Amino acid sequence: MESVTHAVSPAMLPQAVPVADFQWELADTFTLYFFTDGEFEFEPGQMAMIALAGVGEVPISISSNPDERDHIALTIRAIGFVTKALSRLRPGDVVGLRGPYGTSWPLESAIDRDLVIVAGGIGLAPLRSVIYRALNSRGSFGNLVLLYGARDPTSLLYERELHDWRGRFDMEVEITVDRGGPEWMGDVGLVTHLVDRAQFNAEDAIALVCGPEIMMHFVGEALTRRGSRSENVYFTMERNMKCGIGLCGHCQLGPEFVCKDGPVFPLTRIGPLMGVKEL
Amino acid sequence: MSTPQSLVNQLAQVEFFAGMALPELELLARHAHAADHDTDEYLLQRGRPASGFYLITSGRVSLELDAPRGRLAVQTLGAGDVLGISWLIPPHTWQFSARAVKPVSTIFFDTAEIRQRAERDVVLHDDLMTRFMQLMAKRLHATRIQLLDLYQPPAYQGGEQWSP
Amino acid sequence: MPYIIDAAGLADLLAVLAENHRLIGPRAEDGVIRYAPITSIEDLPAGWTDEHGGGHYRLQPRSDQAYFGYVNGPDSAKTYLFPARAPMWTYTDGNFVAAPDKGAPTAIVGLRACDLAAIAIQDEVLLNGPYPDSHYAGQRSEFFVVAVNCTTYGATCFCTSMGTGPRAESGFDLGLTEVLSEDDHFFLVEVGTDAGRELLAALEPAEATSAQCSAGDDAVDATARGITKALDTTDITAFLASNLEHPRWSDVAGRCLACTNCTAVCPTCFCTTPVDTSSFDGTATRERIWDSCFSLEYSFMGGHPVRQSGAGRYRQWMTHKLGTWIEQFGTSGCVGCGRCITWCPVGIDITEEMAAMRAGAGVT
């Protein structure tokens, strides 16, 4: 079975890998699966660069279980030229993969503390890998809380996993949508409201946040209001990325290269940078 | 139902009443009583007179409007949330309905006398207005963010070849 | 310690280099001094100098026949080490194949201290990160440098402020100082590397006298004293970081055309973007081309550019070049070569913008 091998120098050269499986998750969001035979080990929060020869290349956070080393999964939203082309791939089609790149979620710093995961929209994708990792060693952490906000019930990503996680006794899962519709029996409202109410020790907890930048900003405020310290709150940032390896310059946010100094940053570092218009 | 003094102590612990002077807490406690609601019971209904406000102590309440196509929820409230602002604002009728999504325990504050007292007592008036203004601001702020539809990618206008 | 050669010796030096290298040197063409392939000393711009100013460049004849009596043109080592277009890979039959990285052995004559400082800066950015740029590494190996110490300066030069010149201290295989007087015309030659020593040995040059050395030093010192343009680099990273909302950004944006000339001629700018092409036979290629933070597409994300305004883009360039570069790479990104000032169509001067901000000035 063809699979990924380690990217060889030069660092911009992709490895040709066939798509193993393709699944639609939502109307505009899909997941590609690749067999990797243990040759593409990654830490939760890291990303891969996926290339369609002649079309383009995009960075995508890896959202599969990092401890299932035989495969990786990339959940992608089809909204632009390259991602729409990727959405037309089917098993057997060949793409180029490079990676993993970037910093990862600091799970070790959450040992013996409460772990709060706050996701907005497709932001659940970069967090799914760290949820898997945390559940794999559940005993290492205190309370495990997932707070997830989406646009509406049809936009809830990974519904099957959400149901599984809600069914666990050792994990608190709260879901809210911006607009519910007549069929929706769950919460309606902003995800920050879930932060206000969730059960965790704010002074001590580690919070991992992913979603639109404005949403992350307000979640950070809500956490701070509850007593969280900025050094314990982590965001994953996004900027225009072309190379993913700190050479092309595009992804700079102030002095930080999002691709190599990030994409995961503590709020202490990223908060002041996020506050500057057009930085 | 807890004794008035223990209710005062309980209220003093609630974030919404943080920093409230003792006489005011006692006034509120005198006009408060426990109100529990089963699933699908209405705590308040749109158009009815707004006679007070609720402090939700457990459960879930859906703030919603009834439309021909069904119930349209605008926000879900839970433990620690205050429900009911219209008692302060003319014409003092509920603008939305509030329905228990699952069994709900609340403390209901009957505001008829409290309103009269506030018209004479500037300090009480200021304190209540400030608290409810802050609550309204927080709700308005959240609603505006919801309206921004942040999770939805923007519609492109011909820039497709640039974007991944 | 330095040696001495005359014009004939220089001609021999170029000839020896040309035997085993693609020889690049200054030549006057199209109204500018380019760094272009040369074959002999005859191609050098003897008797020419260049007049620089904000948005101003003219070749002017000299009253003497100095070979290196010019300052700089739009080229730098970047033209060859980090060219505007470079192939990255091709895709055929389901395989990605890397393009060859190794360049032809190249010798370049005429680079200045500021250019050498720029090479060192690009080495740090492109070779010392977690993922080295293999194309740059390929061009960088077998790159023989004959540097020239400046005995003339341009009105836009400010290497003295940046600590990068006019004397070249390192980064060259051989370093020349041209000394030209009424009765004498010679070149002091310093050896920078073993490769330089070996090459020079073939010419069997004499050692320079102390008088000759002094003449060379005096010429370079006079150049340093002549440069008046200055950039105050005191606490510059912190200063720029705390002035991101300074009104001067909007002011300069009112003049800046976002034409990207400055980033094209800057010898340290390294931003690139990949270009993917495909053909009907199913093959595809990717090449890397220069990009600029001044373009709207540069920061395009999620539907629109993060840096939409000219002020935001000018601020990005200047705060990166002078400020955040130091946090990222340990040195300034600016070598004071003045090219961005010379080649700006509207003559924006990065040193003036900096001075205006420090003075608290908002609008012109």
Side-chain angles (χ1 to χ4, degrees), chain A residues 10 57 240 249-250 277-278, chain C residues 134 272 286 291 298 309 315:
Chain A
E57 190 179 44
N240 192 5
H250 284 67
K277 189 172 182 302
E278 292 199 6
Chain C
S134 55
T272 57
R286 166 169 279 202
D291 201 352
Y298 184 85
S309 71
R315 179 184 69 186

Side-chain angles (χ1 to χ4, degrees), chain C residues 9-351:
Chain C
L10 177 61
D12 289 342
L13 175 62
L14 296 180
V16 170
L17 283 172
E19 278 168 22
N20 299 316
H21 300 84
R22 172 179 63 157
L23 185 61
I24 306 294
R27 57 189 312 152
E29 62 185 32
D30 299 333
V32 294
I33 305 284
R34 300 298 313 259
Y35 280 105
I38 59 170
T39 50
S40 73
I41 197 173
E42 308 300 324
D43 292 329
L44 296 183
W48 287 101
T49 187
D50 45 3
E51 189 180 86
H52 290 255
H56 176 84
Y57 181 101
R58 289 291 183 277
L59 282 188
Q60 300 289 4
R62 295 177 63 92
S63 56
D64 59 32
Q65 286 298 299
Y67 285 104
F68 300 108
Y70 66 94
V71 178
N72 62 40
D75 292 309
S76 60
K78 185 174 91 162
T79 309
Y80 295 95
L81 293 177
F82 198 66
R85 296 177 67 171
M88 295 181 65
W89 47 254
T90 54
Y91 175 79
T92 38
D93 291 332
N95 285 308
F96 291 91
V97 179
D101 288 331
K102 198 123 173 24
T106 300
I108 186 162
V109 176
L111 291 183
R112 305 312 167 86
C114 58
D115 296 316
L116 303 187
I119 295 174
I121 288 170
Q122 285 209 322
D123 285 352
E124 178 63 31
V125 174
L126 299 170
L127 299 179
N128 290 344
Y131 297 94
D133 184 314
S134 55
H135 193 273
Y136 181 82
Q139 307 305 306
R140 187 77 176 85
S141 68
E142 297 202 78
F143 193 74
F144 191 96
V145 176
V146 180
V148 167
N149 287 310
C150 290
T151 50
T152 186
Y153 61 91
T156 56
C157 289
F158 58 101
C159 59
T160 44
S161 298
M162 308 311 293
T164 55
R167 177 178 300 284
E169 308 285 355
S170 64
F172 54 86
D173 294 286
L174 294 172
L176 304 179
T177 307
E178 183 168 26
V179 178
L180 179 52
S181 63
E182 270 186 32
D183 14 64
D184 224 349
H185 188 183
F186 60 88
F187 302 86
L188 296 168
V189 188
E190 282 170 75
V191 171
T193 63
D194 290 339
R197 183 183 313 281
E198 207 182 297
L199 196 106
L200 187 64
L203 276 64
E204 295 177 341
E207 280 192 18
T209 67
S210 60
Q212 287 165 333
C213 290
S214 297
D217 288 345
D218 287 347
V220 179
D221 290 344
T223 306
R225 282 195 305 276
I227 293 172
T228 51
K229 188 172 288 295
L231 184 81
D232 181 358
T233 58
T234 316
D235 291 329
I236 196 166
T237 301
F239 177 84
L240 288 170
S242 54
N243 280 287
L244 295 173
E245 311 290 352
H246 198 288
R248 188 74 186 188
W249 299 122
S250 297
D251 182 82
V252 67
R255 292 171 272 135
C256 171
L257 307 175
C259 72
T260 79
N261 259 15
C262 51
T263 53
V265 297
C266 173
T268 63
C269 272
F270 61 89
C271 288
T272 57
T273 195
V275 174
D276 292 289
T277 50
S278 57
S279 48
F280 288 116
D281 63 2
T283 61
T285 60
R286 166 169 279 202
E287 67 172 357
R288 181 195 77 191
I289 64 172
W290 286 353
D291 201 352
S292 172
C293 54
F294 279 96
S295 72
L296 273 175
E297 303 91 84
Y298 184 85
S299 62
F300 195 82
M301 183 181 70
H304 96 113
V306 172
R307 296 180 203 118
Q308 180 126 37
S309 71
R313 284 174 275 145
Y314 192 89
R315 179 184 69 186
Q316 167 60 24
W317 182 67
M318 195 164 137
T319 56
H320 183 215
K321 190 66 60 183
L322 299 180
T324 58
W325 198 296
I326 302 174
E327 291 178 82
Q328 295 168 342
F329 303 112
T331 68
S332 178
C334 177
V335 297
C337 69
R339 287 180 175 91
C340 57
I341 305 168
T342 297
W343 296 100
C344 172
V346 296
I348 293 170
D349 185 330
I350 196 173
T351 66

